[in-house]
Amino acid sequence: MNNWLPFLKSDPTVAVIRLSGMISTSGRGVLNDATMGPVIEKAFSKGKPVAIALEVNSPGGSPVQSSLIGARIRRLAEEKSIPVIAFVEDVAASGGYWLAVAADEIYADPSSVLGSVGVISASFGVHELIDKYGVERRVYTAGKSKSMLDPFRPENPEDVARLKVLLEDIHENFKDHVNTRRAGKLPEDQDLFTGEIWLAKRAAELGLIDGIGHLRPMMKDRFGDKVKFRRYGARKGLLSRFGAQIVEDAVQGIEERAAFARFGL
């Protein structure tokens, strides 16, 4: 009760940042640097935390937003010399694993799904459908690659080849990030970057995480029973409940549900 006195030592505080949901540039309730940036900055700055705990539960999404969020966490951790520990809930896959790897240590529940270190691009081809109904597609471009992968036109092998180069380059960035952050912990004789997923025990054996564990008991074991937890996370605004935003949130919810469903969740 008297911890406010300057000569009395206060109980240690762990700042808990929740990183839950799809990683995307737009939409409410998704993870991106614009929405999470101020949250992360506040967590590192308020009250001199002894550690930052990341609650990660994400099936992935935008590689750029994953990189931006992860880079912000690393910059602040190094500037303020604060250790970062990630705790995976249901899933940390693809971009979700990218976020977890931003931590100095990663722990998970025994049934957590991790990995999926790969890059995917998916779309539809509907040119035969519009031909069937007599719909004529009119597109005019300056630059032969401007309409690359137009779903209303037959697939062009040159476009596919260009896309694969882009995907491979992003994949290399992902692999470099994991290899750098997990240096000395990954086996040299096994390719972990095929897009495969594992449960936590196997992920720990492969060096993708540091072990099995939950946030509160591990933090109490490390910093004492009197450790306090200060939670941070993005909040939805009041206006998100009204009008067209309801429809957008519903569509986004379906997309997120489908993303989690890929991992049996």
Side-chain angles (χ1 to χ4, degrees), residues 51-54 83-87 103-107 219 222-223:
I52 300 292
L54 306 178
V84 180
I85 304 99
F87 294 89
D104 300 299
E105 302 172 46
I106 308 173
Y107 298 93
M219 293 297 92
R222 188 169 299 193
F223 299 109

Side-chain angles (χ1 to χ4, degrees), residues 126-138 152:
V126 296
H127 60 283
E128 292 185 0
L129 178 65
I130 64 173
D131 285 345
K132 179 179 178 180
Y133 288 95
V135 178
E136 181 183 2
R137 173 75 166 162
R138 296 175 180 175
F152 297 99

Side-chain angles (χ1 to χ4, degrees), residues 23 58-64 66-67 70 92-102 106 114-120 166-182 186 191-198 208 262-263:
I23 305 166
S58 174
S62 166
V64 174
S66 302
S67 178
S94 195
Y97 183 66
W98 185 303
L99 297 182
V101 172
I106 308 173
L114 301 108
S116 190
V117 182
V119 184
I120 185 172
L166 294 176
L167 296 179
E168 286 294 333
D169 287 346
I170 296 173
H171 195 202
E172 286 300 318
N173 292 338
F174 199 168
K175 291 192 289 185
D176 288 345
H177 176 61
V178 175
N179 280 323
T180 298
R181 297 297 308 146
R182 303 295 296 173
L186 303 176
D191 184 5
L192 303 178
F193 307 133
T194 63
E196 188 176 352
I197 57 174
W198 298 271
L208 292 167
R262 290 180 53 228
F263 304 100

Side-chain angles (χ1 to χ4, degrees), residues 18 20 55-57 87-92 107-109 111-113:
R18 184 156 186 81
S20 179
E55 288 181 330
V56 180
N57 193 23
F87 294 89
V88 177
E89 295 183 347
D90 297 278
V91 59
Y107 298 93
D109 182 86
S111 296
S112 298
V113 177

